[in-house]
Amino acid sequence: MSDTILQQLDQTGLFRDFDDEAKQQLVDMSRTQTFSSGEVIYRIGDEATALFGVLDGAVKLLGENRSGQFFLFGLTTPGRWFGDSSALDGEPRAQTVVAAGDTKVMKLLRCDLLKLLEARPELYQHFVTVFCLRLRQAGKVLEDAAFLSVAVRLGKQLLRLHKVREQYGIKLTREELAASLGVSRQSIYRVLKSWEEEQWITMSYGDVRVIEPEAIEALLVE
């Protein structure tokens, strides 16, 4: 298992540039945990006691409000991390995270990570590149929402998630797709229905699946 955890550290931008000694310390202080499909790993407002890396399976990152509406930030798959921002600054969780299928994660307790960083403060610099990239990506999402039609945004999102979903067998409902764009289910239904008639996608009660990604991709560049 230690080899698998070390591979996790080597793959991700979060810890990839740490030196071998620091990576080995992270391996030694880590533990693994498994979650069943649909199981909540943590909720918005929970205390941030750890950060997590996906070893097998995937998780959905969700925003929620008191009325039950939600926003799907995305999927996190093997080699990727979640919960790192709160683990670093100590603020309550800003997202709810749910296992998408049976999932195994690597868990690093916040107290252990901070001890390492306090002993090796130069390691903090490696987080800067990762967080700057996330800011640019968030800005691009806002730009798309301002300038692109719902159909184009939907197509981009389906293609963005397609390979990951196929590889790990992750289902995505119409409600979740709409939530990932911050729009209503009704606003994407007509687009999905027309793409289903073109046989570019299939729709079932609990899933929307791409079967002709090239056709959707061609639509986006017209």
Side-chain angles (χ1 to χ4, degrees), residues 191-220:
V191 177
L192 290 174
K193 191 64 179 175
S194 67
W195 290 352
E196 184 181 43
E197 291 171 355
E198 295 283 353
Q199 298 184 343
W200 296 353
I201 66 167
T202 59
M203 286 194 291
S204 61
Y205 177 74
D207 198 18
V208 177
R209 193 155 299 277
V210 175
I211 55 176
E212 291 290 346
E214 295 83 4
I216 297 177
E217 187 172 354
L219 178 70
L220 302 183

Short mmCIF file of all heavy atoms in Angstrom, two decimals, residues 191-220:
data_model
loop_
_atom_site.label_atom_id
_atom_site.label_comp_id
_atom_site.label_asym_id
_atom_site.label_seq_id
_atom_site.Cartn_x
_atom_site.Cartn_y
_atom_site.Cartn_z
N VAL A 191 -31.90 20.57 -24.99
CA VAL A 191 -30.61 20.30 -25.65
C VAL A 191 -30.28 18.82 -25.58
O VAL A 191 -29.92 18.20 -26.58
CB VAL A 191 -29.49 21.13 -25.00
CG1 VAL A 191 -28.15 20.79 -25.64
CG2 VAL A 191 -29.78 22.62 -25.11
N LEU A 192 -30.43 18.24 -24.41
CA LEU A 192 -30.13 16.81 -24.25
C LEU A 192 -31.05 15.96 -25.11
O LEU A 192 -30.62 14.96 -25.71
CB LEU A 192 -30.26 16.41 -22.78
CG LEU A 192 -29.20 16.94 -21.82
CD1 LEU A 192 -29.54 16.57 -20.39
CD2 LEU A 192 -27.82 16.41 -22.19
N LYS A 193 -32.31 16.34 -25.19
CA LYS A 193 -33.28 15.57 -25.99
C LYS A 193 -32.90 15.59 -27.47
O LYS A 193 -32.96 14.56 -28.15
CB LYS A 193 -34.69 16.13 -25.80
CG LYS A 193 -35.78 15.25 -26.38
CD LYS A 193 -35.83 13.90 -25.66
CE LYS A 193 -36.96 13.03 -26.23
NZ LYS A 193 -36.94 11.68 -25.61
N SER A 194 -32.48 16.75 -27.95
CA SER A 194 -32.09 16.83 -29.37
C SER A 194 -30.82 16.02 -29.62
O SER A 194 -30.69 15.37 -30.66
CB SER A 194 -31.88 18.29 -29.78
OG SER A 194 -30.75 18.85 -29.14
N TRP A 195 -29.90 16.01 -28.68
CA TRP A 195 -28.68 15.23 -28.84
C TRP A 195 -28.98 13.74 -28.73
O TRP A 195 -28.33 12.92 -29.39
CB TRP A 195 -27.65 15.64 -27.80
CG TRP A 195 -27.09 17.01 -28.03
CD1 TRP A 195 -27.30 17.80 -29.13
CD2 TRP A 195 -26.22 17.74 -27.18
NE1 TRP A 195 -26.62 18.99 -29.00
CE2 TRP A 195 -25.95 18.99 -27.81
CE3 TRP A 195 -25.66 17.49 -25.93
CZ2 TRP A 195 -25.14 19.97 -27.24
CZ3 TRP A 195 -24.84 18.45 -25.36
CH2 TRP A 195 -24.58 19.68 -26.01
N GLU A 196 -29.97 13.38 -27.94
CA GLU A 196 -30.39 11.98 -27.86
C GLU A 196 -30.99 11.54 -29.20
O GLU A 196 -30.72 10.42 -29.67
CB GLU A 196 -31.39 11.79 -26.73
CG GLU A 196 -31.80 10.34 -26.52
CD GLU A 196 -32.82 10.18 -25.41
OE1 GLU A 196 -33.77 10.99 -25.35
OE2 GLU A 196 -32.69 9.24 -24.61
N GLU A 197 -31.78 12.40 -29.81
CA GLU A 197 -32.38 12.08 -31.11
C GLU A 197 -31.31 11.93 -32.19
O GLU A 197 -31.47 11.15 -33.13
CB GLU A 197 -33.39 13.16 -31.49
CG GLU A 197 -34.63 13.16 -30.60
CD GLU A 197 -35.53 14.36 -30.83
OE1 GLU A 197 -35.13 15.26 -31.63
OE2 GLU A 197 -36.62 14.41 -30.23
N GLU A 198 -30.22 12.70 -32.05
CA GLU A 198 -29.10 12.58 -32.98
C GLU A 198 -28.21 11.37 -32.67
O GLU A 198 -27.27 11.08 -33.39
CB GLU A 198 -28.24 13.85 -32.92
CG GLU A 198 -28.93 15.12 -33.40
CD GLU A 198 -29.01 15.19 -34.91
OE1 GLU A 198 -28.42 14.33 -35.60
OE2 GLU A 198 -29.68 16.10 -35.42
N GLN A 199 -28.53 10.70 -31.56
CA GLN A 199 -27.77 9.55 -31.07
C GLN A 199 -26.33 9.92 -30.68
O GLN A 199 -25.40 9.14 -30.84
CB GLN A 199 -27.77 8.41 -32.11
CG GLN A 199 -29.17 7.87 -32.40
CD GLN A 199 -29.17 6.69 -33.34
OE1 GLN A 199 -28.20 6.41 -34.03
NE2 GLN A 199 -30.28 5.96 -33.35
N TRP A 200 -26.20 11.13 -30.14
CA TRP A 200 -24.92 11.57 -29.60
C TRP A 200 -24.78 11.17 -28.14
O TRP A 200 -23.66 11.01 -27.65
CB TRP A 200 -24.77 13.08 -29.72
CG TRP A 200 -24.74 13.59 -31.13
CD1 TRP A 200 -24.70 12.86 -32.28
CD2 TRP A 200 -24.76 14.96 -31.52
NE1 TRP A 200 -24.69 13.67 -33.38
CE2 TRP A 200 -24.73 14.99 -32.95
CE3 TRP A 200 -24.80 16.16 -30.84
CZ2 TRP A 200 -24.73 16.18 -33.67
CZ3 TRP A 200 -24.80 17.36 -31.56
CH2 TRP A 200 -24.77 17.36 -32.95
N ILE A 201 -25.91 11.05 -27.46
CA ILE A 201 -25.93 10.69 -26.04
C ILE A 201 -27.05 9.68 -25.81
O ILE A 201 -27.91 9.48 -26.68
CB ILE A 201 -26.15 11.91 -25.12
CG1 ILE A 201 -27.56 12.48 -25.35
CG2 ILE A 201 -25.08 12.98 -25.33
CD1 ILE A 201 -28.01 13.48 -24.30
N THR A 202 -27.04 9.06 -24.65
CA THR A 202 -28.18 8.29 -24.19
C THR A 202 -28.60 8.84 -22.83
O THR A 202 -27.77 9.31 -22.05
CB THR A 202 -27.84 6.79 -24.04
OG1 THR A 202 -26.77 6.64 -23.10
CG2 THR A 202 -27.45 6.19 -25.37
N MET A 203 -29.90 8.80 -22.57
CA MET A 203 -30.43 9.25 -21.29
C MET A 203 -31.23 8.13 -20.65
O MET A 203 -32.05 7.49 -21.31
CB MET A 203 -31.33 10.48 -21.46
CG MET A 203 -30.60 11.76 -21.76
SD MET A 203 -31.66 13.25 -21.56
CE MET A 203 -32.79 13.05 -22.95
N SER A 204 -30.95 7.89 -19.38
CA SER A 204 -31.75 6.97 -18.59
C SER A 204 -32.17 7.69 -17.33
O SER A 204 -31.82 8.86 -17.12
CB SER A 204 -30.94 5.71 -18.25
OG SER A 204 -29.80 6.04 -17.49
N TYR A 205 -32.90 7.01 -16.47
CA TYR A 205 -33.42 7.66 -15.27
C TYR A 205 -32.31 8.24 -14.41
O TYR A 205 -32.43 9.34 -13.89
CB TYR A 205 -34.23 6.65 -14.44
CG TYR A 205 -34.73 7.23 -13.14
CD1 TYR A 205 -35.78 8.14 -13.12
CD2 TYR A 205 -34.14 6.88 -11.92
CE1 TYR A 205 -36.23 8.69 -11.94
CE2 TYR A 205 -34.58 7.42 -10.73
CZ TYR A 205 -35.63 8.32 -10.73
OH TYR A 205 -36.07 8.87 -9.56
N GLY A 206 -31.19 7.52 -14.30
CA GLY A 206 -30.14 7.98 -13.39
C GLY A 206 -28.83 8.33 -14.05
O GLY A 206 -27.82 8.47 -13.38
N ASP A 207 -28.83 8.53 -15.39
CA ASP A 207 -27.55 8.76 -16.04
C ASP A 207 -27.74 9.43 -17.40
O ASP A 207 -28.74 9.22 -18.09
CB ASP A 207 -26.80 7.44 -16.22
CG ASP A 207 -25.32 7.62 -16.48
OD1 ASP A 207 -24.81 8.72 -16.21
OD2 ASP A 207 -24.69 6.66 -16.94
N VAL A 208 -26.75 10.24 -17.77
CA VAL A 208 -26.62 10.79 -19.12
C VAL A 208 -25.23 10.39 -19.60
O VAL A 208 -24.24 10.70 -18.94
CB VAL A 208 -26.76 12.33 -19.14
CG1 VAL A 208 -26.53 12.86 -20.55
CG2 VAL A 208 -28.12 12.76 -18.62
N ARG A 209 -25.17 9.69 -20.74
CA ARG A 209 -23.88 9.16 -21.18
C ARG A 209 -23.60 9.56 -22.62
O ARG A 209 -24.48 9.50 -23.49
CB ARG A 209 -23.87 7.64 -21.05
CG ARG A 209 -22.49 7.02 -21.18
CD ARG A 209 -22.42 5.69 -20.49
NE ARG A 209 -22.67 5.81 -19.06
CZ ARG A 209 -21.73 6.16 -18.17
NH1 ARG A 209 -20.51 6.43 -18.58
NH2 ARG A 209 -22.03 6.22 -16.89
N VAL A 210 -22.37 9.96 -22.87
CA VAL A 210 -21.94 10.37 -24.22
C VAL A 210 -21.57 9.13 -25.02
O VAL A 210 -20.79 8.29 -24.56
CB VAL A 210 -20.73 11.32 -24.13
CG1 VAL A 210 -20.22 11.65 -25.52
CG2 VAL A 210 -21.12 12.60 -23.39
N ILE A 211 -22.10 9.02 -26.24
CA ILE A 211 -21.72 7.90 -27.11
C ILE A 211 -21.04 8.39 -28.40
O ILE A 211 -20.40 7.62 -29.10
CB ILE A 211 -22.94 7.01 -27.46
CG1 ILE A 211 -24.08 7.82 -28.08
CG2 ILE A 211 -23.42 6.27 -26.23
CD1 ILE A 211 -25.26 6.96 -28.51
N GLU A 212 -21.19 9.69 -28.71
CA GLU A 212 -20.53 10.27 -29.88
C GLU A 212 -19.83 11.57 -29.48
O GLU A 212 -20.28 12.67 -29.82
CB GLU A 212 -21.54 10.53 -31.01
CG GLU A 212 -22.11 9.29 -31.65
CD GLU A 212 -21.08 8.54 -32.48
OE1 GLU A 212 -20.02 9.11 -32.78
OE2 GLU A 212 -21.34 7.36 -32.82
N PRO A 213 -18.72 11.46 -28.73
CA PRO A 213 -18.05 12.68 -28.28
C PRO A 213 -17.55 13.55 -29.42
O PRO A 213 -17.52 14.78 -29.30
CB PRO A 213 -16.88 12.15 -27.42
CG PRO A 213 -16.69 10.73 -27.86
CD PRO A 213 -18.05 10.24 -28.24
N GLU A 214 -17.17 12.93 -30.56
CA GLU A 214 -16.66 13.71 -31.69
C GLU A 214 -17.74 14.65 -32.24
O GLU A 214 -17.44 15.76 -32.66
CB GLU A 214 -16.16 12.78 -32.80
CG GLU A 214 -14.95 11.93 -32.42
CD GLU A 214 -15.33 10.68 -31.66
OE1 GLU A 214 -16.56 10.43 -31.48
OE2 GLU A 214 -14.42 9.94 -31.23
N ALA A 215 -18.99 14.19 -32.24
CA ALA A 215 -20.08 15.03 -32.75
C ALA A 215 -20.30 16.25 -31.87
O ALA A 215 -20.49 17.36 -32.37
CB ALA A 215 -21.37 14.21 -32.84
N ILE A 216 -20.24 16.05 -30.57
CA ILE A 216 -20.40 17.18 -29.65
C ILE A 216 -19.21 18.12 -29.76
O ILE A 216 -19.37 19.34 -29.76
CB ILE A 216 -20.58 16.67 -28.21
CG1 ILE A 216 -21.87 15.84 -28.09
CG2 ILE A 216 -20.62 17.84 -27.23
CD1 ILE A 216 -22.09 15.22 -26.72
N GLU A 217 -18.03 17.56 -29.89
CA GLU A 217 -16.84 18.38 -30.02
C GLU A 217 -16.89 19.24 -31.28
O GLU A 217 -16.52 20.42 -31.27
CB GLU A 217 -15.60 17.50 -30.04
CG GLU A 217 -14.29 18.26 -30.01
CD GLU A 217 -13.09 17.34 -29.84
OE1 GLU A 217 -13.29 16.13 -29.64
OE2 GLU A 217 -11.96 17.85 -29.91
N ALA A 218 -17.37 18.65 -32.38
CA ALA A 218 -17.51 19.41 -33.63
C ALA A 218 -18.50 20.55 -33.48
O ALA A 218 -18.31 21.64 -34.04
CB ALA A 218 -17.94 18.47 -34.76
N LEU A 219 -19.55 20.32 -32.73
CA LEU A 219 -20.56 21.35 -32.48
C LEU A 219 -19.96 22.55 -31.77
O LEU A 219 -20.30 23.70 -32.05
CB LEU A 219 -21.71 20.77 -31.67
CG LEU A 219 -22.84 21.73 -31.29
CD1 LEU A 219 -23.66 22.13 -32.51
CD2 LEU A 219 -23.74 21.09 -30.23
N LEU A 220 -19.03 22.30 -30.87
CA LEU A 220 -18.47 23.37 -30.05
C LEU A 220 -17.50 24.27 -30.83
O LEU A 220 -17.25 25.40 -30.40
CB LEU A 220 -17.73 22.76 -28.84
CG LEU A 220 -18.57 21.88 -27.92
CD1 LEU A 220 -17.73 21.43 -26.73
CD2 LEU A 220 -19.81 22.62 -27.44
#
